Amino acid sequence: MVGAGRKSEKTVHHHFDPTDETVTLETVLSMIEQLRKKHPDREIFFDGDEYSICSRPRHTKHGTHSRA
């Protein structure tokens, strides 16, 4: 289900079958690392409710970076 606002920016990259006992934490973390390298402009995370690896655009906070 797609919500309004920023929630609609979430992308599902891979959905796991919750009954698949062959999926290991190492597998999930490896996929997350690969996606982080491929999409450095996105925040990659595991969504436990959807049993999926997802991402959303990174948003920088204004005024937190100083330039020297």
Side-chain angles (χ1 to χ4, degrees):
M1 176 178 276
V2 176
R6 293 181 194 246
K7 289 184 183 263
S8 64
E9 296 178 1
K10 182 171 88 171
T11 300
V12 176
H13 294 275
H14 186 83
H15 177 79
F16 294 96
D17 177 356
T19 63
D20 184 356
E21 295 179 3
T22 65
V23 177
T24 64
L25 179 58
E26 183 178 357
T27 302
V28 174
L29 293 176
S30 176
M31 290 178 125
I32 289 173
E33 185 61 32
Q34 290 172 7
L35 286 167
R36 284 182 176 156
K37 289 177 182 176
K38 186 176 180 181
H39 304 285
D41 59 326
R42 299 188 67 84
E43 175 187 1
I44 310 295
F45 61 96
F46 182 79
D47 185 329
D49 292 338
E50 293 189 28
Y51 218 72
S52 301
I53 297 175
C54 304
S55 72
R56 65 179 150 241
R58 290 187 187 272
H59 294 284
T60 57
K61 296 179 182 176
H62 299 290
T64 59
H65 300 322
S66 62
R67 295 183 185 224

